[in-house]
Amino acid sequence: MALLPILCYPDPRLHKVAQPVQAVDERVRSLVDDMLETMYEASGIGLAATQVDVHLRLVVIDVSEQRNQPLVLINPEITWMSEERVKGEEGCLSVPGIYDGVERASAVKVKALDRHGKTQHVEAEGMLAICMQHEMDHLLGKVFVEYLSPLKQGRIKTKMVKAQKAER
Ligand code: GNR
Ligand code: NI
């Protein structure tokens, strides 16, 4: 197991489009374990492979209170989304310290492979539905701040660049 470094916005690698996983083998399982460890250590409810600079369709999620219900989604696809939408406050491990409202479908159905390569269907609402859409966006190279106004995006970019300079 290993902790993986998380890319920070506005890193251009966050905008790469992830490719499908060809085979769910030991290498993929080991990466999934590292992603889970990284997500838990960072106190996140989800992590997409894109955020750790691996451009494969791979997501881990745990929205449980006790942090003991890991969900592994390999090659996830949204098969249905509700017409009903909700606006929720979002944050992102790749945009630390920034929280803002984003409108999403209130419920989704997702088809994905699990860590054994078996097809699973997940029906989600509430926080899980929001998180799944947030993570699937990462796989398409999209970060939640891109839903905000250009003015806000500019301010966030400036703030992140400054914070990253201050870190060195
Ligand atoms: O930890 C996270 N919390 C969160 C809160 C509201 C909406 C989405 C998220 S996902 C985020 C972890 C992350 O950045 N995943 O990509
Ligand atoms: Ni995120």
Side-chain angles (χ1 to χ4, degrees):
M1 299 270 273
L3 287 177
L4 307 169
I6 299 176
L7 298 178
C8 266
Y9 184 82
D11 193 308
R13 292 170 290 181
L14 285 170
H15 303 301
K16 287 202 197 181
V17 177
Q19 299 303 309
V21 170
Q22 292 298 339
V24 184
D25 53 19
E26 280 310 319
R27 252 177 45 239
V28 167
R29 273 187 283 274
S30 161
L31 176 59
V32 160
D33 287 338
D34 290 346
M35 284 173 61
L36 280 166
E37 190 185 356
T38 303
M39 174 188 75
Y40 287 127
E41 203 270 338
S43 302
I45 59 170
L47 186 72
T50 307
Q51 293 176 278
V52 295
D53 202 21
V54 175
H55 302 282
L56 291 173
R57 294 189 62 82
L58 211 52
V59 161
V60 295
I61 293 178
D62 191 340
V63 295
S64 74
E65 201 89 331
Q66 293 172 36
R67 321 282 295 142
N68 61 357
Q69 284 170 58
L71 191 58
V72 174
L73 303 173
I74 302 173
N75 296 342
E77 299 297 339
I78 294 180
T79 56
W80 174 83
M81 41 203 321
S82 63
E83 269 167 46
E84 191 195 13
R85 307 194 41 102
V86 281
K87 192 166 185 171
E89 189 87 340
E90 297 199 14
C92 181
L93 294 174
S94 294
V95 200
I98 304 292
Y99 304 89
D100 213 327
V102 176
E103 200 183 287
R104 306 249 190 211
S106 63
V108 292
K109 291 183 187 176
V110 170
K111 179 188 172 188
L113 303 178
D114 67 12
R115 61 181 302 131
H116 306 291
K118 189 170 173 283
T119 301
Q120 56 179 338
H121 293 266
V122 185
E123 293 186 19
E125 53 174 34
M127 204 59 222
L128 181 58
I130 288 172
C131 187
M132 279 183 171
Q133 293 169 80
H134 175 114
E135 303 311 338
M136 310 268 290
D137 271 352
H138 276 303
L139 300 181
L140 296 173
K142 187 157 180 168
V143 180
F144 87 98
V145 299
E146 291 172 64
Y147 291 104
L148 308 177
S149 70
L151 177 64
K152 280 187 179 176
Q153 285 182 52
R155 285 178 179 158
I156 292 166
K157 247 179 224 169
T158 305
K159 190 174 169 182
M160 290 295 130
V161 170
K162 271 192 189 150
Q164 283 162 43
K165 277 191 185 140
E167 261 175 40
R168 320 168 162 251

